[in-house]
Amino acid sequence: AQSVTQLGSHVSVSEGALVLLRCNYSSSVPPYLFWYVQYPNQGLQLLLKYTSAATLVKGINGFEAEFKKSETSFHLTKPSAHMSDAAEYFCAVRPGYSGGYQKVTFGIGTKLQVIP
Amino acid sequence: NAGVTQTPKFRVLKTGQSMTLLCAQDMNHEYMYWYRQDPGMGLRLIHYSVGEGTTAKGEVPDGYNVSRLKKQNFLLGLESAAPSQTSVYFCASSYTPTSSETQYFGPGTRLLVL
C-alpha cells in the first residue's frame, strides 16, 4: 500500500522568496518519488524524480527535493520564486520495483501563487 | 515530435450520450494510461495498457471502456455519459514499465456532462 499527502492545497509566496511545497509519503516498500508541475490548461510534466540514488535531487527550473527516509518526506524547494512558477504541483509515489506495471499514486496537488 | 496528443480538447455531452476520447503518442512508448482529474482528488487512474492489444482496469474504471488496437493510440469510451463523469481527462504514456520511468502527459480533455 502507498499514499501521498501534500500539506497545503494552496501556497502563496512573494516573488524572490523561498518556495517550499511539502510532501509526505507512505509506502510498504522502498519508494520511487516524483514531483510533477501542471501549468494552467496543460498536462503534467516531470520536475524531478528520486530513484534511490542521491537523496538530494535537482530538477528543472531551479527546483530540488530531498528524500528523507526517517521523516518519510520529499519536500520540493526553490530558493527564489519567479512569477512563472505559478502552477499546480503534484507529488507522486510508486514502488521501487523494476519490471511489470507499478501503480503510481498522486497527491491532491498544491497550487502555488506567486505575488509580485 | 508531437509527444502525447488528445482529441478533442473540450466537449459537452448530455446525460446518456456516448463519446470516444482519442490519445496518440509518437514516442514508441509501450505503456499508456487514462486518468481523470477532479478538484481536491488529484489524478485517478481509469485504465491502462501495457502494450498493443492489452488493457487493464485502474482504480476508477466503472462507466469507461478502452481499446489499444495500435501501439500509438489509446481510446477511452464513455458508453452512457453521467454528470459524475464531468472531469478533465489526461492521457499519459511511458516507454518501459520500470519503476523510475517518467510518464508523459497530454494536454487534457475537458468534458462536461449535463
Side-chain angles (χ1 to χ4, degrees):
Chain A
Q2 59 192 26
S3 65
V4 168
T5 301
Q6 291 186 239
L7 298 175
S9 57
H10 290 81
V11 171
S12 294
V13 300
S14 298
E15 190 175 15
L18 171 72
V19 175
L20 171 61
L21 304 182
R22 299 178 186 274
C23 172
N24 288 89
Y25 71 90
S26 171
S27 178
S28 56
V29 299
Y32 285 177
L33 294 156
F34 306 79
W35 275 101
Y36 283 86
V37 60
Q38 183 181 31
Y39 298 103
N41 298 315
Q42 295 186 25
L44 281 69
Q45 57 181 280
L46 184 72
L47 266 182
L48 49 81
K49 60 184 178 183
Y50 165 76
T51 58
S52 74
T55 57
L56 181 62
V57 181
K58 295 185 184 299
I60 61 172
N61 301 338
F63 284 93
E64 63 181 38
E66 186 172 8
F67 172 69
K68 292 187 175 181
K69 183 179 178 180
S70 61
E71 299 177 9
T72 62
S73 68
F74 191 57
H75 301 332
L76 182 70
T77 61
K78 182 175 181 178
S80 177
H82 192 273
M83 295 299 295
S84 60
D85 294 327
E88 189 161 17
Y89 294 79
F90 292 88
C91 184
V93 62
R94 69 189 300 173
Y97 299 137
S98 60
Y101 170 72
Q102 302 295 338
K103 178 186 175 183
V104 177
T105 300
F106 287 86
I108 64 171
T110 298
K111 286 189 177 178
L112 177 66
Q113 179 186 24
V114 182
I115 303 168
Chain B
N1 197 344
V4 180
T5 58
Q6 292 183 232
T7 308
K9 288 184 169 53
F10 178 71
R11 184 76 183 268
V12 179
L13 288 180
K14 294 181 179 179
T15 297
Q17 288 184 317
S18 62
M19 77 165 294
T20 300
L21 283 69
L22 171 64
C23 175
Q25 53 94 3
D26 61 1
M27 298 175 282
N28 200 34
H29 285 175
E30 290 293 333
Y31 276 32
M32 297 187 74
Y33 315 83
W34 275 108
Y35 292 93
R36 59 178 289 173
Q37 183 180 31
D38 302 290
M41 303 192 74
L43 273 75
R44 293 180 292 169
L45 183 66
I46 304 171
H47 287 280
Y48 65 97
S49 168
V50 303
E52 181 179 323
T54 71
T55 62
K57 294 180 179 179
E59 53 185 306
V60 288
D62 294 342
Y64 305 94
N65 57 74
V66 288
S67 64
R68 183 109 180 260
L69 300 179
K70 294 182 178 181
K71 185 177 183 178
Q72 63 269 33
N73 294 338
F74 195 29
L75 279 64
L76 177 71
L78 285 71
E79 296 174 341
S80 179
S84 61
Q85 294 178 304
T86 293
S87 188
V88 181
Y89 292 87
F90 287 99
C91 177
S93 68
S94 60
Y95 182 60
T96 72
T98 60
S99 293
S100 64
E101 193 57 47
T102 301
Q103 291 188 17
Y104 294 83
F105 285 81
T109 293
R110 294 180 182 276
L111 177 63
L112 175 62
V113 182
L114 302 175

